[in-house]
Amino acid sequence: QRRQLDPYTQHHNSLQLLEHIRQDRRYHNADRLALYLANDGEIDPRFICEHAWNNGKQVYLPILSPLKNSLHFAPYEPDSKLALNRFNIPEPVCKPAQWLNARQLDLLLLPLVAFDDQGNRIGMGGGFYDRTLAYLKNSQRWHKPVLMGLAHEVQKTTGLSTQSWDIPLDSILTESGFTEAGT
């Protein structure tokens, strides 16, 4: 359904994300946030990205780890040079010394295919985010970053089945507003 949304609806929904997140304390408190470059009908976080840059926040994009199937996060600025990874997804070109791990982020905005009210998400099937965030499953004390899925409202479903390795989201933001996990 997300692929069938017309360009006007895509643009409108992306603007609505910005309107909602601008009023969220988790976003306001975040100095370091990671997001993604939209493709395949994903809701586009570009307006959030621009707002973050204009408000002095550090923005990062996911970058595939060269050693394992997980992610690091590379600095992303308006003039960042990008190169395609093995999945033809643009990534910032920078030295590994500049990469962050997920624990170093305050807020992580994730893409998804579908979500439910419990904070469960279906991603694109690679498991990269789940492997990257696996430390959250085993930690009672570590709560960074806040995990916020971004989606179109049409991607909402009920009762997604989960696997032991799935990492639930704290909330999901659509053009209609926030869905807090478990509500």
Side-chain angles (χ1 to χ4, degrees):
Q1 289 177 317
R2 73 180 189 189
R3 290 181 186 139
Q4 295 173 355
L5 295 173
D6 63 82
Y8 173 81
T9 302
Q10 283 277 0
H11 183 83
H12 175 266
N13 290 357
S14 295
L15 282 171
Q16 288 303 112
L17 286 186
L18 174 61
E19 290 308 309
H20 294 300
I21 205 167
R22 286 175 52 185
Q23 299 171 37
D24 187 76
R25 67 172 167 69
R26 296 165 294 192
Y27 173 74
H28 280 284
N29 293 338
D31 293 320
R32 294 176 170 174
L33 67 108
L35 42 79
Y36 58 92
L37 299 178
N39 68 46
D40 199 30
E42 294 169 337
I43 197 160
D44 195 343
R46 73 175 170 236
F47 298 118
I48 295 172
C49 183
E50 291 169 3
H51 186 269
W53 284 333
N54 291 335
N55 285 276
K57 296 182 184 297
Q58 297 173 43
V59 178
Y60 296 82
L61 290 179
I63 190 165
L64 294 176
S65 172
L67 302 177
K68 54 186 176 177
N69 286 330
S70 63
L71 302 170
H72 290 283
F73 299 90
Y76 180 51
E77 297 175 356
D79 60 350
S80 290
K81 183 179 177 184
L82 302 174
L84 297 178
N85 67 21
R86 67 182 185 258
F87 297 111
N88 288 322
I89 298 170
E91 297 178 337
V93 176
C94 64
K95 296 178 180 177
Q98 295 177 278
W99 298 352
L100 298 183
N101 63 50
R103 289 177 176 93
Q104 295 172 286
L105 298 170
D106 300 311
L107 177 62
L108 177 52
L109 305 176
L110 295 85
L112 51 87
V113 173
F115 70 95
D116 67 16
D117 285 338
Q118 301 306 308
N120 299 309
R121 73 183 269 278
I122 294 176
M124 294 297 283
F128 290 96
Y129 282 102
D130 289 321
R131 280 188 294 280
T132 301
L133 300 167
Y135 70 91
L136 293 170
K137 269 280 201 221
N138 304 320
S139 176
Q140 298 292 330
R141 298 186 335 234
W142 198 271
H143 299 289
K144 279 180 52 175
V146 171
L147 305 179
M148 188 181 295
L150 301 182
H152 298 282
E153 190 68 30
V154 299
Q155 294 173 256
K156 187 174 186 174
T157 189
T158 55
L160 290 175
S161 62
T162 60
Q163 302 296 325
S164 61
W165 57 81
D166 289 335
I167 305 297
L169 302 171
D170 297 305
S171 65
I172 299 93
L173 176 58
T174 73
E175 73 276 8
S176 300
F178 287 96
T179 297
E180 299 302 329
T183 60

PDB file of all heavy atoms in Angstrom, residues 103 120 130-144 147 162-169:
ATOM      1  N   ARG A 103      24.413   2.528  20.695  1.00  0.00           N
ATOM      2  CA  ARG A 103      24.411   3.000  22.081  1.00  0.00           C
ATOM      3  C   ARG A 103      24.748   4.484  22.200  1.00  0.00           C
ATOM      4  O   ARG A 103      24.410   5.118  23.192  1.00  0.00           O
ATOM      5  CB  ARG A 103      25.415   2.207  22.914  1.00  0.00           C
ATOM      6  CG  ARG A 103      25.034   0.797  23.182  1.00  0.00           C
ATOM      7  CD  ARG A 103      26.168   0.098  23.959  1.00  0.00           C
ATOM      8  NE  ARG A 103      25.832  -1.241  24.346  1.00  0.00           N
ATOM      9  CZ  ARG A 103      26.113  -2.326  23.633  1.00  0.00           C
ATOM     10  NH1 ARG A 103      26.742  -2.213  22.481  1.00  0.00           N
ATOM     11  NH2 ARG A 103      25.758  -3.520  24.069  1.00  0.00           N
ATOM     12  N   ASN A 120       5.715  -3.716  17.648  1.00  0.00           N
ATOM     13  CA  ASN A 120       6.366  -4.694  16.780  1.00  0.00           C
ATOM     14  C   ASN A 120       6.432  -4.136  15.371  1.00  0.00           C
ATOM     15  O   ASN A 120       5.529  -3.432  14.928  1.00  0.00           O
ATOM     16  CB  ASN A 120       5.599  -6.017  16.786  1.00  0.00           C
ATOM     17  CG  ASN A 120       5.545  -6.618  18.172  1.00  0.00           C
ATOM     18  OD1 ASN A 120       6.567  -6.756  18.834  1.00  0.00           O
ATOM     19  ND2 ASN A 120       4.350  -6.975  18.617  1.00  0.00           N
ATOM     20  N   ASP A 130      17.656  -5.441  14.000  1.00  0.00           N
ATOM     21  CA  ASP A 130      17.529  -6.354  15.142  1.00  0.00           C
ATOM     22  C   ASP A 130      18.895  -6.804  15.655  1.00  0.00           C
ATOM     23  O   ASP A 130      19.125  -6.844  16.857  1.00  0.00           O
ATOM     24  CB  ASP A 130      16.668  -7.565  14.772  1.00  0.00           C
ATOM     25  CG  ASP A 130      15.202  -7.208  14.607  1.00  0.00           C
ATOM     26  OD1 ASP A 130      14.700  -6.385  15.399  1.00  0.00           O
ATOM     27  OD2 ASP A 130      14.562  -7.748  13.696  1.00  0.00           O
ATOM     28  N   ARG A 131      19.817  -7.144  14.763  1.00  0.00           N
ATOM     29  CA  ARG A 131      21.160  -7.543  15.206  1.00  0.00           C
ATOM     30  C   ARG A 131      21.894  -6.370  15.849  1.00  0.00           C
ATOM     31  O   ARG A 131      22.580  -6.532  16.849  1.00  0.00           O
ATOM     32  CB  ARG A 131      21.959  -8.107  14.028  1.00  0.00           C
ATOM     33  CG  ARG A 131      21.618  -9.550  13.721  1.00  0.00           C
ATOM     34  CD  ARG A 131      22.562 -10.142  12.687  1.00  0.00           C
ATOM     35  NE  ARG A 131      22.448  -9.537  11.377  1.00  0.00           N
ATOM     36  CZ  ARG A 131      21.494  -9.834  10.488  1.00  0.00           C
ATOM     37  NH1 ARG A 131      20.571 -10.728  10.775  1.00  0.00           N
ATOM     38  NH2 ARG A 131      21.473  -9.251   9.323  1.00  0.00           N
ATOM     39  N   THR A 132      21.735  -5.193  15.276  1.00  0.00           N
ATOM     40  CA  THR A 132      22.405  -4.006  15.798  1.00  0.00           C
ATOM     41  C   THR A 132      21.909  -3.655  17.196  1.00  0.00           C
ATOM     42  O   THR A 132      22.675  -3.203  18.043  1.00  0.00           O
ATOM     43  CB  THR A 132      22.182  -2.814  14.842  1.00  0.00           C
ATOM     44  OG1 THR A 132      22.696  -3.168  13.552  1.00  0.00           O
ATOM     45  CG2 THR A 132      22.836  -1.548  15.345  1.00  0.00           C
ATOM     46  N   LEU A 133      20.636  -3.872  17.448  1.00  0.00           N
ATOM     47  CA  LEU A 133      20.006  -3.484  18.709  1.00  0.00           C
ATOM     48  C   LEU A 133      19.819  -4.647  19.678  1.00  0.00           C
ATOM     49  O   LEU A 133      19.180  -4.491  20.719  1.00  0.00           O
ATOM     50  CB  LEU A 133      18.651  -2.830  18.413  1.00  0.00           C
ATOM     51  CG  LEU A 133      18.724  -1.578  17.539  1.00  0.00           C
ATOM     52  CD1 LEU A 133      17.350  -1.181  17.049  1.00  0.00           C
ATOM     53  CD2 LEU A 133      19.409  -0.441  18.278  1.00  0.00           C
ATOM     54  N   ALA A 134      20.401  -5.795  19.380  1.00  0.00           N
ATOM     55  CA  ALA A 134      20.228  -6.987  20.211  1.00  0.00           C
ATOM     56  C   ALA A 134      20.635  -6.744  21.661  1.00  0.00           C
ATOM     57  O   ALA A 134      20.071  -7.357  22.581  1.00  0.00           O
ATOM     58  CB  ALA A 134      21.016  -8.159  19.621  1.00  0.00           C
ATOM     59  N   TYR A 135      21.568  -5.848  21.918  1.00  0.00           N
ATOM     60  CA  TYR A 135      22.004  -5.557  23.291  1.00  0.00           C
ATOM     61  C   TYR A 135      20.839  -5.072  24.154  1.00  0.00           C
ATOM     62  O   TYR A 135      20.858  -5.247  25.374  1.00  0.00           O
ATOM     63  CB  TYR A 135      23.150  -4.538  23.295  1.00  0.00           C
ATOM     64  CG  TYR A 135      22.740  -3.140  22.886  1.00  0.00           C
ATOM     65  CD1 TYR A 135      22.329  -2.203  23.827  1.00  0.00           C
ATOM     66  CD2 TYR A 135      22.766  -2.752  21.548  1.00  0.00           C
ATOM     67  CE1 TYR A 135      21.953  -0.929  23.454  1.00  0.00           C
ATOM     68  CE2 TYR A 135      22.393  -1.485  21.162  1.00  0.00           C
ATOM     69  CZ  TYR A 135      21.984  -0.577  22.116  1.00  0.00           C
ATOM     70  OH  TYR A 135      21.607   0.684  21.743  1.00  0.00           O
ATOM     71  N   LEU A 136      19.818  -4.487  23.547  1.00  0.00           N
ATOM     72  CA  LEU A 136      18.675  -3.986  24.313  1.00  0.00           C
ATOM     73  C   LEU A 136      17.843  -5.128  24.904  1.00  0.00           C
ATOM     74  O   LEU A 136      17.198  -4.953  25.939  1.00  0.00           O
ATOM     75  CB  LEU A 136      17.785  -3.104  23.435  1.00  0.00           C
ATOM     76  CG  LEU A 136      18.402  -1.782  22.987  1.00  0.00           C
ATOM     77  CD1 LEU A 136      17.530  -1.108  21.938  1.00  0.00           C
ATOM     78  CD2 LEU A 136      18.627  -0.866  24.171  1.00  0.00           C
ATOM     79  N   LYS A 137      17.856  -6.277  24.266  1.00  0.00           N
ATOM     80  CA  LYS A 137      17.108  -7.436  24.762  1.00  0.00           C
ATOM     81  C   LYS A 137      17.632  -7.926  26.100  1.00  0.00           C
ATOM     82  O   LYS A 137      16.884  -8.420  26.924  1.00  0.00           O
ATOM     83  CB  LYS A 137      17.224  -8.601  23.771  1.00  0.00           C
ATOM     84  CG  LYS A 137      16.178  -8.682  22.725  1.00  0.00           C
ATOM     85  CD  LYS A 137      14.917  -9.291  23.259  1.00  0.00           C
ATOM     86  CE  LYS A 137      14.096  -9.824  22.116  1.00  0.00           C
ATOM     87  NZ  LYS A 137      12.704  -9.579  22.254  1.00  0.00           N
ATOM     88  N   ASN A 138      18.929  -7.809  26.305  1.00  0.00           N
ATOM     89  CA  ASN A 138      19.594  -8.380  27.469  1.00  0.00           C
ATOM     90  C   ASN A 138      19.967  -7.350  28.527  1.00  0.00           C
ATOM     91  O   ASN A 138      20.685  -7.666  29.461  1.00  0.00           O
ATOM     92  CB  ASN A 138      20.853  -9.124  27.025  1.00  0.00           C
ATOM     93  CG  ASN A 138      20.535 -10.182  25.995  1.00  0.00           C
ATOM     94  OD1 ASN A 138      19.534 -10.876  26.107  1.00  0.00           O
ATOM     95  ND2 ASN A 138      21.360 -10.277  24.973  1.00  0.00           N
ATOM     96  N   SER A 139      19.507  -6.140  28.365  1.00  0.00           N
ATOM     97  CA  SER A 139      19.921  -5.086  29.282  1.00  0.00           C
ATOM     98  C   SER A 139      18.717  -4.495  30.012  1.00  0.00           C
ATOM     99  O   SER A 139      17.750  -4.082  29.390  1.00  0.00           O
ATOM    100  CB  SER A 139      20.646  -3.979  28.516  1.00  0.00           C
ATOM    101  OG  SER A 139      20.975  -2.925  29.381  1.00  0.00           O
ATOM    102  N   GLN A 140      18.794  -4.468  31.305  1.00  0.00           N
ATOM    103  CA  GLN A 140      17.748  -3.836  32.115  1.00  0.00           C
ATOM    104  C   GLN A 140      18.024  -2.342  32.285  1.00  0.00           C
ATOM    105  O   GLN A 140      17.109  -1.564  32.523  1.00  0.00           O
ATOM    106  CB  GLN A 140      17.696  -4.494  33.502  1.00  0.00           C
ATOM    107  CG  GLN A 140      17.360  -5.963  33.462  1.00  0.00           C
ATOM    108  CD  GLN A 140      15.944  -6.216  33.006  1.00  0.00           C
ATOM    109  OE1 GLN A 140      15.059  -5.398  33.222  1.00  0.00           O
ATOM    110  NE2 GLN A 140      15.723  -7.335  32.346  1.00  0.00           N
ATOM    111  N   ARG A 141      19.288  -1.949  32.161  1.00  0.00           N
ATOM    112  CA  ARG A 141      19.661  -0.572  32.478  1.00  0.00           C
ATOM    113  C   ARG A 141      19.891   0.301  31.255  1.00  0.00           C
ATOM    114  O   ARG A 141      19.855   1.512  31.357  1.00  0.00           O
ATOM    115  CB  ARG A 141      20.933  -0.579  33.337  1.00  0.00           C
ATOM    116  CG  ARG A 141      20.742  -1.274  34.655  1.00  0.00           C
ATOM    117  CD  ARG A 141      21.947  -1.160  35.564  1.00  0.00           C
ATOM    118  NE  ARG A 141      23.189  -0.949  34.867  1.00  0.00           N
ATOM    119  CZ  ARG A 141      24.270  -1.683  35.006  1.00  0.00           C
ATOM    120  NH1 ARG A 141      24.281  -2.699  35.821  1.00  0.00           N
ATOM    121  NH2 ARG A 141      25.373  -1.395  34.344  1.00  0.00           N
ATOM    122  N   TRP A 142      20.183  -0.284  30.133  1.00  0.00           N
ATOM    123  CA  TRP A 142      20.537   0.517  28.962  1.00  0.00           C
ATOM    124  C   TRP A 142      19.284   0.832  28.158  1.00  0.00           C
ATOM    125  O   TRP A 142      18.599  -0.060  27.691  1.00  0.00           O
ATOM    126  CB  TRP A 142      21.549  -0.229  28.091  1.00  0.00           C
ATOM    127  CG  TRP A 142      22.221   0.720  27.160  1.00  0.00           C
ATOM    128  CD1 TRP A 142      21.808   1.068  25.911  1.00  0.00           C
ATOM    129  CD2 TRP A 142      23.388   1.476  27.413  1.00  0.00           C
ATOM    130  NE1 TRP A 142      22.651   1.995  25.361  1.00  0.00           N
ATOM    131  CE2 TRP A 142      23.637   2.265  26.261  1.00  0.00           C
ATOM    132  CE3 TRP A 142      24.260   1.582  28.484  1.00  0.00           C
ATOM    133  CZ2 TRP A 142      24.726   3.131  26.158  1.00  0.00           C
ATOM    134  CZ3 TRP A 142      25.345   2.442  28.376  1.00  0.00           C
ATOM    135  CH2 TRP A 142      25.559   3.199  27.225  1.00  0.00           C
ATOM    136  N   HIS A 143      18.997   2.107  27.988  1.00  0.00           N
ATOM    137  CA  HIS A 143      17.761   2.499  27.304  1.00  0.00           C
ATOM    138  C   HIS A 143      18.012   3.461  26.141  1.00  0.00           C
ATOM    139  O   HIS A 143      17.119   4.215  25.780  1.00  0.00           O
ATOM    140  CB  HIS A 143      16.794   3.126  28.303  1.00  0.00           C
ATOM    141  CG  HIS A 143      16.412   2.194  29.399  1.00  0.00           C
ATOM    142  ND1 HIS A 143      15.602   1.096  29.211  1.00  0.00           N
ATOM    143  CD2 HIS A 143      16.765   2.173  30.709  1.00  0.00           C
ATOM    144  CE1 HIS A 143      15.453   0.452  30.355  1.00  0.00           C
ATOM    145  NE2 HIS A 143      16.151   1.082  31.267  1.00  0.00           N
ATOM    146  N   LYS A 144      19.205   3.461  25.611  1.00  0.00           N
ATOM    147  CA  LYS A 144      19.497   4.313  24.465  1.00  0.00           C
ATOM    148  C   LYS A 144      19.814   3.437  23.273  1.00  0.00           C
ATOM    149  O   LYS A 144      20.466   2.426  23.435  1.00  0.00           O
ATOM    150  CB  LYS A 144      20.689   5.224  24.772  1.00  0.00           C
ATOM    151  CG  LYS A 144      20.305   6.453  25.573  1.00  0.00           C
ATOM    152  CD  LYS A 144      21.461   7.356  25.884  1.00  0.00           C
ATOM    153  CE  LYS A 144      22.282   7.764  24.696  1.00  0.00           C
ATOM    154  NZ  LYS A 144      23.313   8.725  24.973  1.00  0.00           N
ATOM    155  N   LEU A 147      13.792   4.150  20.286  1.00  0.00           N
ATOM    156  CA  LEU A 147      13.509   3.548  18.978  1.00  0.00           C
ATOM    157  C   LEU A 147      12.134   3.995  18.494  1.00  0.00           C
ATOM    158  O   LEU A 147      11.118   3.654  19.094  1.00  0.00           O
ATOM    159  CB  LEU A 147      13.546   2.024  19.069  1.00  0.00           C
ATOM    160  CG  LEU A 147      14.825   1.414  19.623  1.00  0.00           C
ATOM    161  CD1 LEU A 147      14.713  -0.105  19.668  1.00  0.00           C
ATOM    162  CD2 LEU A 147      16.037   1.848  18.823  1.00  0.00           C
ATOM    163  N   THR A 162       5.924 -12.336  16.313  1.00  0.00           N
ATOM    164  CA  THR A 162       7.303 -11.924  16.543  1.00  0.00           C
ATOM    165  C   THR A 162       8.187 -13.140  16.769  1.00  0.00           C
ATOM    166  O   THR A 162       7.710 -14.226  17.092  1.00  0.00           O
ATOM    167  CB  THR A 162       7.405 -10.990  17.767  1.00  0.00           C
ATOM    168  OG1 THR A 162       6.933 -11.694  18.922  1.00  0.00           O
ATOM    169  CG2 THR A 162       6.601  -9.733  17.559  1.00  0.00           C
ATOM    170  N   GLN A 163       9.465 -12.908  16.611  1.00  0.00           N
ATOM    171  CA  GLN A 163      10.486 -13.918  16.861  1.00  0.00           C
ATOM    172  C   GLN A 163      11.297 -13.489  18.084  1.00  0.00           C
ATOM    173  O   GLN A 163      11.274 -12.315  18.472  1.00  0.00           O
ATOM    174  CB  GLN A 163      11.406 -14.067  15.643  1.00  0.00           C
ATOM    175  CG  GLN A 163      10.690 -14.436  14.360  1.00  0.00           C
ATOM    176  CD  GLN A 163      10.040 -15.807  14.434  1.00  0.00           C
ATOM    177  OE1 GLN A 163      10.555 -16.724  15.063  1.00  0.00           O
ATOM    178  NE2 GLN A 163       8.878 -15.946  13.800  1.00  0.00           N
ATOM    179  N   SER A 164      12.032 -14.392  18.663  1.00  0.00           N
ATOM    180  CA  SER A 164      12.797 -14.100  19.882  1.00  0.00           C
ATOM    181  C   SER A 164      13.825 -12.993  19.664  1.00  0.00           C
ATOM    182  O   SER A 164      14.189 -12.289  20.601  1.00  0.00           O
ATOM    183  CB  SER A 164      13.483 -15.361  20.400  1.00  0.00           C
ATOM    184  OG  SER A 164      14.390 -15.851  19.420  1.00  0.00           O
ATOM    185  N   TRP A 165      14.303 -12.826  18.454  1.00  0.00           N
ATOM    186  CA  TRP A 165      15.329 -11.828  18.174  1.00  0.00           C
ATOM    187  C   TRP A 165      14.760 -10.458  17.804  1.00  0.00           C
ATOM    188  O   TRP A 165      15.504  -9.503  17.666  1.00  0.00           O
ATOM    189  CB  TRP A 165      16.249 -12.315  17.054  1.00  0.00           C
ATOM    190  CG  TRP A 165      15.521 -12.636  15.789  1.00  0.00           C
ATOM    191  CD1 TRP A 165      15.101 -11.753  14.829  1.00  0.00           C
ATOM    192  CD2 TRP A 165      15.116 -13.928  15.353  1.00  0.00           C
ATOM    193  NE1 TRP A 165      14.453 -12.419  13.818  1.00  0.00           N
ATOM    194  CE2 TRP A 165      14.453 -13.765  14.106  1.00  0.00           C
ATOM    195  CE3 TRP A 165      15.239 -15.209  15.873  1.00  0.00           C
ATOM    196  CZ2 TRP A 165      13.915 -14.828  13.393  1.00  0.00           C
ATOM    197  CZ3 TRP A 165      14.705 -16.273  15.159  1.00  0.00           C
ATOM    198  CH2 TRP A 165      14.061 -16.078  13.937  1.00  0.00           C
ATOM    199  N   ASP A 166      13.459 -10.339  17.635  1.00  0.00           N
ATOM    200  CA  ASP A 166      12.851  -9.066  17.261  1.00  0.00           C
ATOM    201  C   ASP A 166      12.971  -8.051  18.394  1.00  0.00           C
ATOM    202  O   ASP A 166      12.704  -8.370  19.551  1.00  0.00           O
ATOM    203  CB  ASP A 166      11.372  -9.251  16.905  1.00  0.00           C
ATOM    204  CG  ASP A 166      11.175  -9.976  15.594  1.00  0.00           C
ATOM    205  OD1 ASP A 166      12.079  -9.925  14.731  1.00  0.00           O
ATOM    206  OD2 ASP A 166      10.108 -10.594  15.414  1.00  0.00           O
ATOM    207  N   ILE A 167      13.344  -6.853  18.050  1.00  0.00           N
ATOM    208  CA  ILE A 167      13.466  -5.761  19.012  1.00  0.00           C
ATOM    209  C   ILE A 167      12.264  -4.836  18.820  1.00  0.00           C
ATOM    210  O   ILE A 167      12.106  -4.235  17.753  1.00  0.00           O
ATOM    211  CB  ILE A 167      14.779  -4.963  18.801  1.00  0.00           C
ATOM    212  CG1 ILE A 167      16.001  -5.886  18.855  1.00  0.00           C
ATOM    213  CG2 ILE A 167      14.889  -3.824  19.808  1.00  0.00           C
ATOM    214  CD1 ILE A 167      16.219  -6.575  20.183  1.00  0.00           C
ATOM    215  N   PRO A 168      11.395  -4.706  19.832  1.00  0.00           N
ATOM    216  CA  PRO A 168      10.224  -3.835  19.685  1.00  0.00           C
ATOM    217  C   PRO A 168      10.612  -2.355  19.733  1.00  0.00           C
ATOM    218  O   PRO A 168      11.629  -1.975  20.312  1.00  0.00           O
ATOM    219  CB  PRO A 168       9.356  -4.219  20.885  1.00  0.00           C
ATOM    220  CG  PRO A 168      10.316  -4.748  21.897  1.00  0.00           C
ATOM    221  CD  PRO A 168      11.439  -5.378  21.127  1.00  0.00           C
ATOM    222  N   LEU A 169       9.776  -1.556  19.135  1.00  0.00           N
ATOM    223  CA  LEU A 169       9.962  -0.106  19.115  1.00  0.00           C
ATOM    224  C   LEU A 169       9.342   0.517  20.361  1.00  0.00           C
ATOM    225  O   LEU A 169       8.439  -0.048  20.966  1.00  0.00           O
ATOM    226  CB  LEU A 169       9.306   0.474  17.863  1.00  0.00           C
ATOM    227  CG  LEU A 169       9.795  -0.077  16.526  1.00  0.00           C
ATOM    228  CD1 LEU A 169       8.919   0.425  15.390  1.00  0.00           C
ATOM    229  CD2 LEU A 169      11.246   0.288  16.298  1.00  0.00           C
TER     230      LEU A 169
END
